[in-house]
Short mmCIF file of all heavy atoms in Angstrom, two decimals:
data_model
loop_
_atom_site.label_atom_id
_atom_site.label_comp_id
_atom_site.label_asym_id
_atom_site.label_seq_id
_atom_site.Cartn_x
_atom_site.Cartn_y
_atom_site.Cartn_z
N GLY A 260 -11.12 -12.33 -15.44
CA GLY A 260 -10.43 -12.09 -16.69
C GLY A 260 -10.73 -10.81 -17.36
O GLY A 260 -10.11 -10.41 -18.34
N GLY A 261 -11.83 -10.17 -16.89
CA GLY A 261 -12.24 -8.92 -17.58
C GLY A 261 -11.27 -7.79 -17.26
O GLY A 261 -10.50 -7.83 -16.29
N ARG A 262 -11.34 -6.78 -18.14
CA ARG A 262 -10.46 -5.62 -17.99
C ARG A 262 -11.17 -4.57 -17.10
O ARG A 262 -12.31 -4.31 -17.28
CB ARG A 262 -10.05 -5.01 -19.34
CG ARG A 262 -9.58 -6.07 -20.37
CD ARG A 262 -8.33 -6.80 -19.84
NE ARG A 262 -7.17 -5.94 -19.68
CZ ARG A 262 -5.98 -6.38 -19.27
NH1 ARG A 262 -5.81 -7.67 -19.07
NH2 ARG A 262 -4.99 -5.57 -19.14
N ILE A 263 -10.35 -3.94 -16.22
CA ILE A 263 -10.87 -2.92 -15.36
C ILE A 263 -9.99 -1.75 -15.34
O ILE A 263 -8.72 -1.88 -15.24
CB ILE A 263 -11.06 -3.40 -13.92
CG1 ILE A 263 -12.22 -4.44 -13.87
CG2 ILE A 263 -11.37 -2.30 -12.94
CD1 ILE A 263 -12.57 -4.92 -12.52
N ALA A 264 -10.43 -0.53 -15.54
CA ALA A 264 -9.61 0.67 -15.61
C ALA A 264 -9.52 1.27 -14.16
O ALA A 264 -10.52 1.33 -13.45
CB ALA A 264 -10.28 1.74 -16.46
N ILE A 265 -8.25 1.54 -13.77
CA ILE A 265 -7.96 2.05 -12.45
C ILE A 265 -7.46 3.42 -12.55
O ILE A 265 -6.58 3.75 -13.39
CB ILE A 265 -6.91 1.16 -11.74
CG1 ILE A 265 -7.39 -0.37 -11.68
CG2 ILE A 265 -6.62 1.73 -10.36
CD1 ILE A 265 -8.62 -0.50 -10.80
N THR A 266 -8.07 4.38 -11.73
CA THR A 266 -7.57 5.76 -11.71
C THR A 266 -7.34 6.16 -10.30
O THR A 266 -7.82 5.56 -9.34
CB THR A 266 -8.63 6.70 -12.33
OG1 THR A 266 -9.91 6.56 -11.61
CG2 THR A 266 -8.83 6.38 -13.80
N SER A 267 -6.52 7.24 -10.14
CA SER A 267 -6.19 7.80 -8.86
C SER A 267 -6.22 9.31 -8.96
O SER A 267 -5.82 9.90 -9.98
CB SER A 267 -4.88 7.36 -8.40
OG SER A 267 -4.43 8.10 -7.24
N GLU A 268 -6.82 9.95 -7.92
CA GLU A 268 -6.87 11.42 -7.93
C GLU A 268 -5.48 12.02 -7.96
O GLU A 268 -5.31 13.10 -8.38
CB GLU A 268 -7.63 11.92 -6.69
CG GLU A 268 -9.15 11.57 -6.66
CD GLU A 268 -9.85 12.12 -5.50
OE1 GLU A 268 -9.19 12.72 -4.67
OE2 GLU A 268 -11.07 11.93 -5.45
N VAL A 269 -4.51 11.25 -7.50
CA VAL A 269 -3.07 11.75 -7.44
C VAL A 269 -2.58 12.00 -8.87
O VAL A 269 -1.84 13.00 -9.06
CB VAL A 269 -2.21 10.78 -6.69
CG1 VAL A 269 -0.75 11.19 -6.74
CG2 VAL A 269 -2.71 10.55 -5.29
N TYR A 270 -3.03 11.19 -9.81
CA TYR A 270 -2.44 11.26 -11.19
C TYR A 270 -3.48 11.82 -12.17
O TYR A 270 -3.35 11.49 -13.37
CB TYR A 270 -1.85 9.93 -11.57
CG TYR A 270 -0.80 9.42 -10.71
CD1 TYR A 270 -0.93 8.25 -9.96
CD2 TYR A 270 0.35 10.16 -10.50
CE1 TYR A 270 0.04 7.79 -9.10
CE2 TYR A 270 1.34 9.68 -9.67
CZ TYR A 270 1.18 8.56 -8.94
OH TYR A 270 2.15 8.05 -8.12
N GLY A 271 -4.46 12.49 -11.72
CA GLY A 271 -5.40 13.15 -12.65
C GLY A 271 -6.16 12.13 -13.47
O GLY A 271 -6.72 11.19 -12.99
N GLY A 272 -6.11 12.36 -14.78
CA GLY A 272 -6.85 11.48 -15.67
C GLY A 272 -6.11 10.29 -16.14
O GLY A 272 -6.55 9.58 -17.12
N ARG A 273 -4.93 9.95 -15.59
CA ARG A 273 -4.18 8.77 -16.11
C ARG A 273 -4.92 7.51 -15.70
O ARG A 273 -5.37 7.35 -14.60
CB ARG A 273 -2.75 8.81 -15.54
CG ARG A 273 -1.95 7.62 -15.97
CD ARG A 273 -0.50 7.79 -15.76
NE ARG A 273 0.32 6.68 -16.24
CZ ARG A 273 1.64 6.64 -16.30
NH1 ARG A 273 2.32 7.72 -15.92
NH2 ARG A 273 2.24 5.61 -16.79
N VAL A 274 -4.95 6.58 -16.67
CA VAL A 274 -5.67 5.36 -16.45
C VAL A 274 -4.65 4.12 -16.45
O VAL A 274 -3.79 4.04 -17.38
CB VAL A 274 -6.72 5.15 -17.59
CG1 VAL A 274 -7.42 3.84 -17.41
CG2 VAL A 274 -7.76 6.30 -17.57
N PHE A 275 -4.81 3.27 -15.44
CA PHE A 275 -4.02 2.13 -15.38
C PHE A 275 -4.98 0.91 -15.60
O PHE A 275 -5.93 0.76 -14.90
CB PHE A 275 -3.34 1.95 -14.01
CG PHE A 275 -2.44 3.07 -13.65
CD1 PHE A 275 -2.98 4.22 -13.11
CD2 PHE A 275 -1.14 2.99 -13.85
CE1 PHE A 275 -2.16 5.29 -12.75
CE2 PHE A 275 -0.30 4.06 -13.46
CZ PHE A 275 -0.79 5.21 -12.91
N GLU A 276 -4.73 0.14 -16.68
CA GLU A 276 -5.59 -0.97 -17.03
C GLU A 276 -5.12 -2.24 -16.41
O GLU A 276 -3.98 -2.62 -16.51
CB GLU A 276 -5.74 -1.09 -18.52
CG GLU A 276 -6.83 -2.02 -18.92
CD GLU A 276 -7.10 -2.04 -20.38
OE1 GLU A 276 -7.52 -0.97 -20.90
OE2 GLU A 276 -6.89 -3.09 -21.09
N GLY A 277 -5.98 -2.97 -15.74
CA GLY A 277 -5.66 -4.21 -15.09
C GLY A 277 -6.69 -5.33 -15.43
O GLY A 277 -7.61 -5.08 -16.15
N ARG A 278 -6.37 -6.54 -14.98
CA ARG A 278 -7.16 -7.71 -15.24
C ARG A 278 -7.77 -8.22 -13.94
O ARG A 278 -7.15 -8.36 -12.92
CB ARG A 278 -6.31 -8.75 -15.91
CG ARG A 278 -7.04 -10.05 -16.29
CD ARG A 278 -6.13 -10.90 -17.12
NE ARG A 278 -4.89 -11.26 -16.33
CZ ARG A 278 -4.89 -12.36 -15.54
NH1 ARG A 278 -5.88 -13.17 -15.39
NH2 ARG A 278 -3.73 -12.58 -14.85
N LEU A 279 -9.13 -8.45 -13.93
CA LEU A 279 -9.82 -9.00 -12.81
C LEU A 279 -9.41 -10.51 -12.59
O LEU A 279 -9.75 -11.32 -13.48
CB LEU A 279 -11.33 -8.86 -13.00
CG LEU A 279 -12.23 -9.42 -11.88
CD1 LEU A 279 -11.88 -8.71 -10.60
CD2 LEU A 279 -13.65 -9.21 -12.26
N THR A 280 -8.68 -10.72 -11.60
CA THR A 280 -8.18 -12.09 -11.29
C THR A 280 -8.93 -12.92 -10.33
O THR A 280 -8.84 -14.14 -10.29
CB THR A 280 -6.69 -12.06 -10.86
OG1 THR A 280 -6.58 -11.24 -9.68
CG2 THR A 280 -5.83 -11.48 -11.99
N ARG A 281 -9.72 -12.20 -9.43
CA ARG A 281 -10.44 -12.89 -8.44
C ARG A 281 -11.75 -12.18 -8.04
O ARG A 281 -11.63 -10.95 -7.83
CB ARG A 281 -9.58 -13.24 -7.23
CG ARG A 281 -10.37 -14.00 -6.12
CD ARG A 281 -9.43 -14.45 -5.04
NE ARG A 281 -10.22 -15.06 -3.96
CZ ARG A 281 -10.74 -16.26 -3.94
NH1 ARG A 281 -10.64 -17.00 -5.02
NH2 ARG A 281 -11.46 -16.70 -2.92
N ILE A 282 -12.77 -12.87 -7.87
CA ILE A 282 -14.05 -12.36 -7.30
C ILE A 282 -14.32 -13.04 -6.03
O ILE A 282 -14.31 -14.25 -5.95
CB ILE A 282 -15.22 -12.57 -8.30
CG1 ILE A 282 -14.94 -11.93 -9.67
CG2 ILE A 282 -16.55 -12.01 -7.71
CD1 ILE A 282 -15.94 -12.24 -10.73
N GLY A 283 -14.53 -12.28 -5.01
CA GLY A 283 -14.70 -12.88 -3.60
C GLY A 283 -15.83 -13.86 -3.55
O GLY A 283 -16.81 -13.78 -4.38
N ASP A 284 -15.81 -14.71 -2.57
CA ASP A 284 -16.82 -15.74 -2.47
C ASP A 284 -17.86 -15.32 -1.35
O ASP A 284 -18.89 -16.05 -1.20
CB ASP A 284 -16.15 -17.07 -2.04
CG ASP A 284 -15.22 -17.63 -3.11
OD1 ASP A 284 -15.64 -17.49 -4.30
OD2 ASP A 284 -14.16 -18.03 -2.78
N VAL A 285 -17.61 -14.32 -0.63
CA VAL A 285 -18.49 -13.92 0.45
C VAL A 285 -18.86 -12.40 0.32
O VAL A 285 -18.05 -11.55 0.09
CB VAL A 285 -17.81 -14.12 1.84
CG1 VAL A 285 -18.73 -13.76 3.01
CG2 VAL A 285 -17.37 -15.60 2.02
N VAL A 286 -20.15 -12.16 0.58
CA VAL A 286 -20.65 -10.82 0.54
C VAL A 286 -20.58 -10.25 1.98
O VAL A 286 -21.09 -10.97 2.94
CB VAL A 286 -22.07 -10.65 0.00
CG1 VAL A 286 -22.68 -9.25 0.14
CG2 VAL A 286 -22.14 -11.18 -1.44
N ASP A 287 -20.05 -9.08 2.17
CA ASP A 287 -20.01 -8.44 3.49
C ASP A 287 -21.43 -8.22 3.98
O ASP A 287 -22.30 -7.59 3.32
CB ASP A 287 -19.30 -7.11 3.41
CG ASP A 287 -19.05 -6.54 4.81
OD1 ASP A 287 -19.98 -6.00 5.39
OD2 ASP A 287 -17.87 -6.58 5.31
N GLU A 288 -21.76 -8.85 5.23
CA GLU A 288 -23.15 -8.71 5.65
C GLU A 288 -23.59 -7.35 6.04
O GLU A 288 -24.77 -7.04 6.11
CB GLU A 288 -23.29 -9.70 6.87
CG GLU A 288 -22.42 -9.36 8.03
CD GLU A 288 -22.58 -10.34 9.18
OE1 GLU A 288 -23.31 -11.36 9.00
OE2 GLU A 288 -21.96 -10.13 10.21
N LYS A 289 -22.70 -6.44 6.33
CA LYS A 289 -23.08 -5.09 6.70
C LYS A 289 -23.05 -4.12 5.54
O LYS A 289 -23.95 -3.39 5.27
CB LYS A 289 -22.22 -4.53 7.88
CG LYS A 289 -22.31 -5.30 9.15
CD LYS A 289 -21.43 -4.72 10.24
CE LYS A 289 -21.57 -5.49 11.52
NZ LYS A 289 -20.66 -4.94 12.62
#
Side-chain angles (χ1 to χ4, degrees):
R262 310 302 295 183
I263 292 185
I265 302 295
T266 58
S267 169
E268 293 182 357
V269 176
Y270 301 118
R273 180 162 183 173
V274 177
F275 302 83
E276 188 170 299
R278 181 172 59 89
L279 180 59
T280 58
R281 179 170 175 76
I282 301 172
D284 298 316
V285 179
V286 175
D287 187 287
E288 61 181 6
K289 294 182 179 179

